[in-house]
Structure formats: C-alpha cells, structure tokens
C-alpha cells in the first residue's frame, strides 16, 4: 500500500489516530511518517511529497498535512501552508491540537471535542423536565471554550451543558 502522507509505495501501513476531531478518525501511515509526526521537528526531506498529498480528499490526511507543515521549519513548508485550503470544519480540527484542552473528566482524563463520555451520576436537566440517567453515553461532545468545567452534548435529543465532574471518558 502507498502511504497517504509521504506517498511511499509498497510499504506496510500502521493505523494512526488523528486527535482533536471525530473520535474514530485515523489514517494508515508508514512507520516513518508515524514516528515523524510524533516528533517535535520532523525531517523535512521525508515530507517533500506533501505538495501533492495535502490535496487528499480525506480530511484526516489534510489535518495531518497541515500539522506536519506547521512543524517543518523550511521556506517551502511555509509556502505550502499558504496554498493549503481547508474548509472551516477541517481547519478547526487541524488547529484543535490534542493536549491543549484543560477539560478533564472525573478521573482527570483529558477530554477533546468529539469524544464520547458516560454520565456517572443521575443529572436533573433544568428546563427540559427529564433526568439524564447514570450510564448514559454522550457522543461527540463539544468543549465550552471559556469554562473547562463544562462540556456540551446531546442527551435524549436535547443539547445540554454538563459539568465535567459528572462524566468519565469512554
């Protein structure tokens, strides 16, 4: 198979999760790319093919290309970043780098946009006349930007704000 990031042909691919977006987002990368994207300063010569692979129709590949180009300290990488067009949702995902979140669940695990959490306590939902039961899974949460103690999610068809102290990451 060909690596979608560096275009190396006939290489074994490793499933690599892409953080900050949909919980199940991943890209199958070659071993070198998987190691390089985890590094703080990737080898620029390995990623010369980003000039073509950054135009992939797969949003996860676009996100990895964007993040990799930002890490590379070379004029050609800056030029490619200037050319790369990402729709609004993909750009938000690309800029939502894991580790920046201050939102943590009841066990201290970091939460990210798109995660799934489980309620650990029955919660009375004000203004909606129902109780969100313990054990309810809340999928594709969003983080409240100005308050790390709050997340938003959909329970019983209603979008509600939930305190992070009452959830655990699934």
């Amino acid at each position: 198979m060909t690596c979608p990031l560096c275009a190396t042909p006939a290489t074994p691919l490793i499933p690599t999760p892409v953080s900050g977006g949909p919980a199940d987002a991943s890209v199958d990368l070659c071993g070198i790319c998987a190691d390089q994207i985890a590094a703080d300063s990737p080898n620029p010569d390995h990623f010369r093919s980003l000039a073509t692979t950054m135009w992939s129709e797969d949003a996860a590949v676009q996100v990895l290309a964007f993040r990799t180009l930002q890490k590379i300290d070379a004029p050609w990488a800056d030029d490619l970043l200037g050319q790369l067009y990402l729709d609004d949702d993909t750009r938000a995902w690309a800029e939502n780098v894991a580790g920046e979140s201050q939102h943590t669940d009841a066990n201290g695990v970091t939460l990210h946009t798109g995660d799934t959490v489980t309620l650990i306590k029955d919660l009375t939902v004000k203004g909606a006349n129902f109780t969100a039961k313990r054990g309810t899974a809340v999928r594709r949460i969003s983080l409240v930007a100005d308050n790390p103690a709050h997340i938003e999610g959909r329970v019983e068809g209603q979008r509600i704000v939930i305190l992070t102290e009452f959830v655990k990451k699934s």
Side-chain angles (χ1 to χ4, degrees), residues 67-89:
R67 291 177 181 173
T68 304
L69 287 169
Q70 282 189 315
K71 288 181 182 181
I72 295 174
D73 186 25
W76 63 266
D78 294 336
D79 291 342
L80 290 178
L81 266 175
Q83 296 173 15
L84 181 59
Y85 170 78
L86 301 174
D87 62 49
D88 293 338
D89 292 338

Side-chain angles (χ1 to χ4, degrees), residues 20-25 96 111-117 138-143 152 159 169:
D24 59 345
N96 184 17
L111 299 172
H112 301 286
T113 298
D115 284 346
T116 298
V117 296
V138 182
R139 292 175 178 78
R140 297 186 316 222
I141 64 167
S142 351
L143 307 179
E152 291 183 359
R159 187 106 179 134
K169 188 171 181 176

Side-chain angles (χ1 to χ4, degrees), residues 35-102:
D35 292 340
Q36 292 287 318
I37 62 170
D40 288 333
S41 56
N43 179 0
D45 293 331
H46 180 73
F47 292 107
R48 286 289 187 165
S49 62
L50 283 175
T52 56
T53 60
M54 71 182 191
W55 301 110
S56 171
E57 292 184 14
D58 183 357
V61 174
Q62 292 176 346
V63 167
L64 286 179
F66 178 86
R67 291 177 181 173
T68 304
L69 287 169
Q70 282 189 315
K71 288 181 182 181
I72 295 174
D73 186 25
W76 63 266
D78 294 336
D79 291 342
L80 290 178
L81 266 175
Q83 296 173 15
L84 181 59
Y85 170 78
L86 301 174
D87 62 49
D88 293 338
D89 292 338
T90 306
R91 180 163 298 276
W93 177 12
E95 292 173 348
N96 184 17
V97 178
E100 292 180 0
S101 174
Q102 296 176 348

